Amino acid sequence: MSGLLNYVSCGVLWLGLLVKAPDLLRHGRDPYLRAICAVLGLAGLCFFLGAPPTVGAVNRLGGVPNLAAPVTYAAITGYCAASQVLIVHWRGGPRVRRTAHRWMLAYAVVVLGIAVTFALGDAPVERRTDLDTYYATTPFMAQMIVLYLLAHLTTTTVTTVSALRWARGVRGGLRAGLVLLGTGALCGAGYSVAKLIAVGARWSGRDWSSLGTTVSPAAAGLGALLTVVGVLVPLVTPWAAEGRRARRTYARLGPLERALDDLLTRRTLRLPRPRFASPTTRLMWRQTSIHNALGHLDAYFDRELYDRTRAGALAATEDPERAEAAAWAAVITAAVRQEADAGRPGPPLGGTGRLLDGVPEPALLVRIADALAAAVPPPAATAVPSGRTTAGTA
């Protein structure tokens, strides 16, 4: 056998580990993060060691027939320990560290038992794919096989129950991740159950080795895929949500940037447009361009126009935020036209007061853009005397 399924499963798990590696480097002391990375790394190692080509290489390099079996089983047990530690940190509580240490100690005893039983057993014939059923009736080898399978089944059962139970109390990406993780653990339990059934059949004189050579690897591979996706979904979901928010905000700021476009171009106030940038980067670029233009227009802002427009909009809508946005829209529109007036040499002297005590917050910029995008802003129109340019004409 080529072991393709094992190597693909290993690659998927280690890809998940690679995604989490930057967080591990930044927060190396976070026990929860260390447990997640250990689960991904050890699960991938189990698939790698269990591939028939790797089994043959380990046996050949070690000079001991079937040496790969206890090595692989020890890796599986290590994965079990990491999974239980992860569950402990999920649950939390006052005795997290003590409970985690107890689980690690328990699985260390299992690893020791695997080593001892293999040393006492007799397995002279190399079996790369069906060792579990081939040696199911061999003294000590049978105990080693049952020991690691029961340890694995215990872990997957606890992980399934814990993940699905926790998923009922949360929402969003975390819930989806927990459901996927719990389902992946359930598939992992299918691996152990299929192997145990095949071993039990061997004890009764039947040959159901295909359960261990076909069903078990398929269940384990599917479990690996679901586990990795379950771990990554809570990580990717906030990033995707932030990207959606950035794209929406970028689009909503369009009317404001278009109102300032002529000024940005004439005064070279716009930064070069970023290429192949994330939505967040493009949003920052648009916000920076708008801030540059508003800073240039500060001397042209009319405080009286702002106050009149805001008062009229507030009386009409009883919404302070909408009134503020309408006032800004009217003032920006008037300032853009004044600044572009070729007959005016510079900003008005002795103006009615500066409006930009600070840079407008992103939320305010969005509301101003919405006011500019409105076809007819009645509050601003009623507050501005005839001859003035309103926000709706931008």
Side-chain angles (χ1 to χ4, degrees):
M1 295 179 63
S2 64
L4 179 62
L5 180 60
N6 288 70
Y7 292 133
V8 170
S9 302
C10 172
V12 169
L13 288 160
W14 282 353
L15 179 61
L17 176 61
L18 184 63
V19 172
K20 296 294 293 183
D23 292 335
L24 182 63
L25 293 176
R26 287 193 298 267
H27 310 287
R29 295 191 176 185
D30 184 349
Y32 176 73
L33 184 59
R34 289 203 306 266
I36 290 179
C37 292
V39 167
L40 294 174
L42 288 170
L45 181 62
C46 294
F47 281 104
F48 178 78
L49 292 174
T54 307
V55 170
V58 171
N59 293 338
R60 184 173 59 256
L61 292 174
V64 177
N66 300 306
L67 176 64
V71 173
T72 303
Y73 298 163
I76 292 174
T77 306
Y79 158 77
C80 295
S83 298
Q84 293 290 15
V85 170
L86 178 61
I87 295 297
V88 169
H89 286 292
W90 271 354
R91 291 174 173 171
R95 298 182 179 180
V96 170
R97 182 173 297 183
R98 180 181 299 179
T99 305
H101 286 168
R102 286 178 177 176
W103 276 115
M104 289 190 289
L105 179 61
Y107 281 101
V109 172
V110 173
V111 171
L112 179 61
I114 290 171
V116 171
T117 50
F118 179 78
L120 295 175
D122 184 21
V125 180
E126 183 185 59
R127 308 299 299 186
R128 298 189 180 185
T129 60
D130 61 347
L131 182 139
D132 297 326
T133 51
Y134 187 86
Y135 287 107
T137 57
T138 302
F140 296 108
M141 292 294 293
Q143 284 76 7
M144 178 189 72
I145 293 165
V146 172
L147 182 62
Y148 99 86
L149 288 175
L150 289 179
H152 184 262
L153 181 59
T154 300
T155 294
T156 53
T157 302
V158 172
T159 302
T160 300
V161 173
S162 299
L164 296 180
R165 180 181 297 170
W166 188 18
R168 291 185 298 178
V170 296
R171 292 292 183 270
L174 180 57
R175 181 175 187 174
L178 287 169
V179 170
L180 287 168
L181 188 59
T183 307
L186 184 61
C187 291
Y191 166 88
S192 300
V193 170
K195 290 269 190 182
L196 286 170
I197 292 175
V199 168
R202 182 74 173 84
W203 290 343
S204 62
R206 298 180 178 87
D207 183 11
W208 291 0
S209 58
S210 59
L211 285 175
T213 56
T214 58
V215 177
S216 287
L222 179 59
L225 177 61
L226 293 174
T227 297
V228 128
V229 175
V231 169
L232 294 182
V233 160
L235 175 68
V236 172
T237 300
W239 174 81
E242 180 62 27
R244 287 195 299 269
R245 286 193 295 268
R247 283 191 291 270
R248 287 197 300 266
T249 304
Y250 178 88
R252 290 179 65 184
L253 287 175
L256 179 54
E257 187 190 14
R258 287 191 291 272
L260 301 169
D261 183 70
D262 179 67
L263 170 65
L264 289 167
T265 303
R266 284 188 294 103
R267 301 297 182 180
T268 320
L269 299 175
R270 183 186 279 116
L271 298 175
R273 182 183 294 271
R275 295 184 178 182
F276 310 108
S278 67
T280 303
T281 301
R282 290 192 293 113
L283 173 61
M284 292 179 61
W285 169 81
R286 176 163 279 183
Q287 289 174 334
T288 301
S289 298
I290 292 171
H291 289 157
N292 291 343
L294 295 182
H296 180 80
L297 289 174
D298 193 16
Y300 295 88
F301 289 149
D302 187 339
R303 168 66 72 173
E304 293 181 359
L305 173 61
Y306 176 88
D307 292 338
R308 288 197 307 272
T309 308
R310 186 179 184 281
L314 186 60
T317 65
E318 298 183 355
D319 186 340
E321 291 185 349
R322 184 179 174 188
E324 181 184 26
W328 269 105
V331 167
I332 290 172
T333 301
V336 166
R337 297 197 174 217
Q338 277 193 325
E339 194 276 341
D341 187 355
R344 184 182 297 276
L349 298 176
T352 55
R354 298 169 65 87
L355 289 179
L356 282 184
D357 297 329
V359 177
E361 296 182 355
L364 176 56
L365 291 180
V366 172
R367 292 195 296 271
I368 296 170
D370 290 342
L372 287 168
V376 179
T382 58
V384 181
S386 61
R388 291 276 189 175
T389 303
T390 68
T393 62

